[in-house]
Amino acid sequence: MKTVPLAVRPVSKSGFAAFGDVVETQGAELRLINQGSTERFHDLASIDVLDEGGKAIVSLFRGQPFAPPIEITMMERHPLGSQLFYPVSDRPFLTVVAPDEGGRPGAPVAFFCPAGVGVNYAKNTWHHPLLSLEEVCDFIVVDRDGPGSNLEEYDYPDTRYRIDAVSG
């Protein structure tokens, strides 16, 4: 079994674009609503969940914290819908994604997401399950519920990827 170090890079809209949306208020369209008493950051992500009779649901996930070294041994994807994670807790987290290579995940790419920034994985994007950092972290999750098989998992057979350090 080969172990490959995996560098963590800061998340950015351009760097993450191949995998989905970065969900943040910076650069978002701002609308004042409720007679000017509320700021609305409009249309932050493309929710795509309607395939095969699906519907959008909102859940709260509570992620247990990870600390380096973090082994990346598997990936998952959701072929019928996008999946948005937005931290409610004021905590950073990691997102690890991979390009599709013939129906399997390629080499993973790790991104550091600071507090107040979320991600929306595009439909069919390979990603690692939730990786909270430092402390328990709650996330609002918008994803798909409905008929059909919407989860594929893949274990890397010969390579383990390892995150040895995390910096924001």
Side-chain angles (χ1 to χ4, degrees):
M1 181 75 53
K2 176 172 71 168
T3 300
V4 175
L6 187 60
V8 177
R9 58 183 81 166
V11 74
S12 68
K13 288 183 179 189
S14 61
F16 195 76
F19 307 106
D21 307 306
V22 172
V23 182
E24 63 183 341
T25 58
Q26 182 178 346
E29 179 185 341
L30 176 62
R31 296 181 180 180
L32 293 177
I33 61 171
N34 300 331
Q35 298 174 334
S37 68
T38 304
E39 295 178 335
R40 174 183 175 153
F41 297 94
H42 186 71
D43 196 18
L44 297 177
S46 297
I47 306 302
D48 181 2
V49 296
L50 301 178
D51 284 4
E52 296 186 22
K55 67 175 186 171
I57 60 170
V58 177
S59 304
L60 182 86
F61 286 19
R62 181 160 289 150
Q64 299 302 309
F66 286 78
I70 301 168
E71 295 247 333
I72 305 300
T73 61
M74 62 83 67
M75 299 294 263
E76 66 180 34
R77 69 178 174 180
H78 308 284
L80 300 178
S82 59
Q83 191 176 43
L84 183 145
F85 287 82
Y86 193 84
V88 177
S89 306
D90 192 26
R91 304 268 179 258
F93 70 102
L94 291 179
T95 181
V96 180
V97 292
D100 183 77
E101 293 183 356
R104 296 183 176 160
V109 181
F111 293 96
F112 177 85
C113 298
V117 173
V119 295
N120 180 46
Y121 301 119
K123 179 172 46 179
N124 226 21
T125 295
W126 290 108
H127 63 278
H128 190 273
L130 187 59
L131 291 168
S132 298
L133 297 171
E134 299 175 356
E135 295 181 31
V136 171
C137 186
D138 289 344
F139 293 81
I140 293 293
V141 177
V142 179
D143 63 352
R144 181 190 184 277
D145 189 27
S149 179
N150 192 34
L151 175 63
E152 293 178 22
E153 295 178 334
Y154 180 83
D155 292 316
Y156 287 109
D158 302 321
T159 306
R160 297 292 181 252
Y161 297 92
R162 188 180 66 231
I163 298 170
D164 291 319
V166 175
S167 62

